[in-house]
Amino acid sequence: MSESIQTDVCIVGGGPAGAMLGLLLAQQSPLNVLVLERNQAFQREFRGESISQGSVAILDELGILDGLRQQGFLQIEGLSMFDEDQRIFSVNFHDFQAKHKFIIDLPQPILIGAILDKAQTLPNFSLRMGAACTGLVEEQEQITGVVYRDASGESITVSASVVVDASGRYTKIREMAGIQADIQTFSRDAVWFRVPRPSDWELHTRIKVNGQHHLIILPTYPDQLRVGINIAKGQYQKVKQEPIETFHDQVCKLEPLLDGIVQQHIRSWKDTVLLDIFTANVPQWSRDGLVLIGDSAHTVSPILGQGVNLAIQDAYVLATVIANYLQAHPKAIIPKSAFAAFEESRRELVNFVQAFQADQEKGLMAATEEGMIERRIKMSTLDQSPMKVQLAMKLAFGIFSAEPVQASHGG
Ligand SMILES: Cc1cc2nc3c(=O)[nH]c(=O)nc-3n(C[C@H](O)[C@H](O)[C@H](O)COP(=O)(O)OP(=O)(O)OC[C@H]3O[C@@H](n4cnc5c(N)ncnc54)[C@H](O)[C@@H]3O)c2cc1C
């Protein structure tokens, strides 16, 4: 007979959204929380490594930041954008009036490991690795649990008051629940690679634009740069037929400071990886017994590295909603209506982020001389605007510069 498990909250996916929600819930309530993660380990090659200031504040509040600091991370002190080598926009994070001024950069497995290590000290938290959710259990239009396959291939049924889909940008749970997403592709994808960081490199996110081409350069822990260059949508296989030297030339034309470094360290296309850029707008984030968070609810563009930030802050807001509901209605299936305020408040921020990113995307991909002039004027005007720091802080801090839905997390 196959195993079955009873819990209060079943979270599918142990990424930043799922791990953070699991910790918060287990810490602030007596609820039993189960996180299912299909991978056996958290080694991910290329994932969000820049953690925005608002999420850094949450890590501090939860007592995780000091441990991460001891392990080591980079502090990113600003962002600069150059058009044909002329600096047209910059933000210096030292100007933020806040305790946590800087983005931190660290490998995602370390971040998730720190969150889960803390969660696993709590008796009401459990994590199953190698547990791939394969189906939802539905009774009278309510989601009442999931079925997952463990590492030995056995199917296990979990019953819960709520299933949280935190399974990321390629979620299958959303589809299983009959929720359709509006997937929008952009006209570009990005090819990413890593190279060693010169010791005198400014600790700023650096965007270099020239005509229709751009490079995003992210200082990365411990001593690297993560670099992304745009290519036309869906053309990675075709681009890879060119000699790697053509790629070196394109990169160095955009950032001459990488000349010599890129040739030495990017020996073949195998040293690069594709980021398929798309956004998902999901009209409905919940059903009775189910709620979506993180990339599953809203995949955003990589511009300004907002994905992890949104995921962590979704978890922060949702934890209180779930804990309060189940405290008032123990063991009940959480109805969709209980998630309305959560969804409304988070959507407002996600819409703001997506609108800002779409505008930036349009500028970066300008294909005409007029469009490129408009891009330069727009960014230079924004650079001079008295609202610049305020706008940057809204993107950096998310919920802490807007109204949180509910009260606080004691920690
Ligand atoms: C190349 C790249 C670079 C990025 N850089 C940045 C950045 O610098 N800053 C930033 O903020 N964001 C960045 N992002 C985006 C960021 O990684 C995501 O937005 C963020 O990880 C979303 O968190 P999540 O928890 O919602 O989903 P994910 O991190 O995708 O986690 C989902 C988890 O669910 C698991 N899972 C999936 N299906 C199942 C299943 N059926 N059963 C059980 N488990 C399942 C997956 O294995 C995974 O561990 C980047 C993304 C990519 C691809």
Side-chain angles (χ1 to χ4, degrees):
M1 219 178 75
S2 67
E3 190 189 344
S4 60
I5 302 173
Q6 190 90 36
T7 187
D8 294 309
V9 182
C10 176
I11 300 169
V12 182
M20 180 56 82
L21 181 66
L23 168 62
L24 286 164
L25 274 171
Q27 197 169 56
Q28 71 178 254
S29 76
L31 296 169
N32 288 313
V33 182
L34 172 65
V35 174
L36 303 175
E37 168 54 50
R38 73 172 168 200
N39 287 323
Q40 293 280 11
F42 283 104
Q43 294 314 322
R44 302 145 180 248
E45 209 200 318
F46 248 85
R47 273 300 164 98
E49 302 191 8
S50 309
I51 314 298
S52 296
Q53 293 83 339
S55 299
V56 177
I58 292 177
L59 295 173
D60 195 14
E61 183 183 320
L62 291 172
I64 293 174
L65 190 64
D66 283 343
L68 290 175
R69 187 174 281 115
Q70 274 162 25
Q71 292 211 20
F73 54 65
L74 279 189
Q75 292 198 144
I76 310 301
E77 297 174 358
L79 178 147
S80 307
M81 182 171 178
F82 300 79
D83 201 325
E84 289 179 18
D85 283 333
Q86 185 192 347
R87 201 187 285 246
I88 55 169
F89 178 80
S90 66
V91 182
N92 186 339
F93 299 152
H94 287 275
D95 293 338
F96 286 2
Q97 298 294 319
K99 179 177 175 198
H100 300 286
K101 293 177 188 289
F102 307 113
I103 290 174
I104 64 170
D105 186 282
L106 77 170
Q108 207 182 81
I110 292 183
L111 172 72
I112 294 174
I115 297 171
L116 290 175
D117 282 353
K118 182 144 185 131
Q120 282 176 303
T121 62
L122 301 164
N124 53 337
F125 177 89
S126 33
L127 167 69
R128 300 220 174 175
M129 299 296 291
C133 177
T134 52
L136 292 172
V137 182
E138 204 168 330
E139 291 165 30
Q140 295 167 347
E141 313 245 319
Q142 292 183 323
I143 309 290
T144 58
V146 303
V147 178
Y148 76 87
R149 201 182 45 245
D150 73 8
S152 67
E154 195 187 339
S155 273
I156 293 153
T157 303
V158 181
S159 306
S161 288
V162 64
V163 172
V164 181
D165 176 15
S167 65
R169 61 198 337 239
Y170 298 113
T171 172
K172 292 278 181 289
I173 311 296
R174 193 172 66 201
E175 206 179 306
M176 288 176 202
I179 298 175
Q180 300 300 326
D182 175 18
I183 307 287
Q184 298 280 341
T185 54
F186 290 102
S187 56
R188 65 167 183 136
D189 284 326
V191 177
W192 285 91
F193 59 91
R194 287 172 192 261
V195 287
R197 188 176 75 246
S199 55
D200 56 350
W201 196 273
E202 187 182 33
L203 289 179
H204 272 218
T205 295
R206 204 174 163 87
I207 303 169
K208 301 284 310 259
V209 192
N210 193 337
Q212 278 186 273
H213 302 281
H214 64 266
L215 212 58
I216 297 176
I217 309 175
L218 307 169
T220 294
Y221 181 80
D223 52 7
Q224 292 176 310
L225 296 171
R226 268 183 298 154
V227 187
I229 185 169
N230 69 305
I231 58 167
K233 185 85 205 159
Q235 296 301 303
Y236 188 47
Q237 294 308 328
K238 186 163 169 232
V239 164
K240 285 199 297 183
Q241 285 164 14
E242 297 282 331
I244 194 70
E245 289 75 17
T246 311
F247 185 67
H248 295 156
D249 292 347
Q250 285 163 350
V251 170
C252 296
K253 193 164 170 227
L254 283 159
E255 181 49 280
L257 292 174
L258 292 176
D259 201 0
I261 300 174
V262 70
Q263 292 85 345
Q264 191 183 347
H265 296 278
I266 306 302
R267 296 293 180 92
S268 78
W269 290 103
K270 288 195 183 118
D271 297 324
T272 69
V273 63
L274 174 73
L275 172 60
D276 173 20
I277 299 181
F278 65 86
T279 61
N281 289 302
V282 184
Q284 168 191 353
W285 291 4
S286 62
R287 281 186 50 186
D288 292 344
L290 174 80
V291 60
L292 276 49
I293 61 170
D295 273 14
S296 164
H298 44 69
T299 310
V300 299
S301 131
I303 287 183
L304 299 177
Q306 287 290 305
V308 173
N309 208 26
L310 291 172
I312 287 182
Q313 296 191 17
D314 280 356
Y316 187 85
V317 179
L318 183 64
T320 310
V321 175
I322 293 178
N324 286 352
Y325 189 89
L326 289 179
Q327 191 184 4
H329 311 88
K331 307 288 172 202
I333 299 293
I334 306 187
K336 176 177 166 51
S337 57
F339 300 118
F342 159 75
E343 186 171 329
E344 195 185 328
S345 77
R346 296 303 296 150
R347 237 181 228 293
E348 193 191 321
L349 193 69
V350 170
N351 289 346
F352 168 76
V353 167
Q354 284 188 329
F356 185 82
Q357 289 180 329
D359 195 46
Q360 292 297 311
E361 198 80 41
K362 188 170 149 230
L364 285 176
M365 294 311 293
T368 61
E369 190 56 37
E370 263 176 3
M372 292 169 201
I373 292 171
E374 189 186 322
R375 171 177 72 207
R376 276 196 286 274
I377 294 174
K378 211 173 191 173
M379 292 314 290
S380 306
T381 309
L382 185 59
D383 195 49
Q384 300 302 320
S385 164
M387 302 299 288
K388 177 173 79 168
V389 172
Q390 211 174 323
L391 175 71
M393 284 187 73
K394 179 156 184 182
L395 286 163
F397 285 93
I399 51 173
F400 298 111
S401 59
E403 276 293 304
V405 171
Q406 305 226 7
S408 64
H409 296 260

